[in-house]
Amino acid sequence: MKKRMLAVILIVVVALVCGGRIYYVNATAGKVPPSVYYTKGQEASIGKNIFFAYKEPEIMDGYYVTLTDAKLIPTDTFLKNHGLTKEKAMPEQLKAEQDGTMAVEDYIYEVDVHVTNKSNQLVGKAGIDMLQWNLLATDYTTQCQWELFAAVNPFMKGGTTFSIKVGDSRDFVLPYAVSSENISPDTLRKKNPVVILSQYPVRNLLKLNG
């Protein structure tokens, strides 16, 4: 009898614990983190906000980002402005376009940013991974065109992560590839495009049309 009573009590306790966990998940699911928007010329403090976890190598606290320019232009114009050719700067993409395995990336949303490290002491241990800095718009998202990113930011040596010394700063060109087969340039401009600098607990966003 005692064993049966213990078993019943155990089942009730487990049910209460599981129920509490389910309630917590349901109560918090679907909540969108608050967003802070920064327009051209405004300095964005990333602070202790993150994409995945506040630990090395993703500790961006102390870094500040300023949007200096943003424009959606034809890919040929972008390449010409930077003294590049599609054959040399983005051979893999060109091959995929010629094979018909990828849509033609005929536009580039060029986003120019200035990044400063004011207080992050973890140089070489933690910093920023630009792979996470996606361009977002209403029902649309795209990453940097990484062949072009390497070409216009040669000091990155093909990488996407970096840290700089306290007091130092760097200018970056972020080229986001756009195919007019998927979305027209005019439509994208109207969809309030932003570049995301952090995801949790606050979404820091660079407003490109601001």
Side-chain angles (χ1 to χ4, degrees):
M1 184 67 177
K2 288 184 178 180
K3 289 184 178 180
R4 176 181 287 183
M5 284 295 294
L6 287 173
V8 170
I9 292 170
L10 181 60
I11 291 170
V12 171
V13 170
V14 170
L16 288 172
V17 171
C18 290
R21 175 59 182 166
I22 292 168
Y23 169 78
Y24 174 77
V25 171
N26 288 340
T28 57
K31 286 189 175 180
V32 178
S35 298
V36 178
Y37 293 88
Y38 297 88
T39 56
K40 182 178 177 180
Q42 290 184 317
E43 192 174 58
S45 170
I46 300 179
K48 293 187 177 181
N49 298 296
I50 59 170
F51 284 100
F52 299 107
Y54 189 75
K55 61 182 181 180
E56 297 178 13
E58 190 197 350
I59 298 179
M60 301 181 285
D61 194 11
Y63 281 92
Y64 291 73
V65 183
T66 304
L67 173 66
T68 57
D69 199 11
K71 50 185 176 286
L72 182 57
I73 56 178
T75 300
D76 290 343
T77 301
F78 176 87
L79 292 168
K80 183 178 180 181
N81 289 347
H82 291 276
L84 302 170
T85 64
K86 206 167 190 176
E87 289 77 12
K88 289 186 177 180
M90 44 197 305
E92 292 183 17
Q93 174 62 29
L94 179 60
K95 184 178 185 301
E97 291 176 358
Q98 293 172 339
D99 293 344
T101 55
M102 290 189 70
V104 175
E105 295 177 344
D106 48 350
Y107 281 83
I108 296 293
Y109 216 131
E110 178 179 343
V111 178
D112 302 327
V113 297
H114 183 75
V115 182
T116 302
N117 181 2
K118 292 189 177 183
S119 60
N120 191 303
Q121 301 286 343
L122 299 173
V123 180
K125 296 179 180 179
I128 292 175
D129 182 2
M130 288 187 162
L131 185 65
Q132 310 302 329
W133 286 16
N134 288 350
L135 185 151
L136 307 176
T138 307
D139 64 31
Y140 182 82
T141 184
T142 185
Q143 278 190 326
C144 266
Q145 213 295 340
W146 293 111
E147 286 184 291
L148 282 183
F149 179 84
V152 295
N153 302 285
F155 55 87
M156 291 292 287
K157 299 179 181 179
T160 63
T161 61
F162 73 94
S163 63
I164 54 179
K165 294 179 181 179
V166 175
D168 283 356
S169 59
R170 279 280 191 177
D171 292 314
F172 292 87
V173 178
L174 309 178
Y176 295 92
V178 177
S179 171
S180 59
E181 295 179 31
N182 299 323
I183 187 171
S184 74
D186 286 342
T187 299
L188 179 54
R189 290 188 184 98
K190 294 174 183 176
K191 286 182 176 286
N192 302 314
V194 297
V195 169
I196 184 166
L197 304 179
S198 65
Q199 185 67 57
Y200 303 105
V202 174
R203 302 172 84 213
N204 283 310
L205 305 165
L206 299 179
K207 192 173 183 180
L208 305 186
N209 286 347

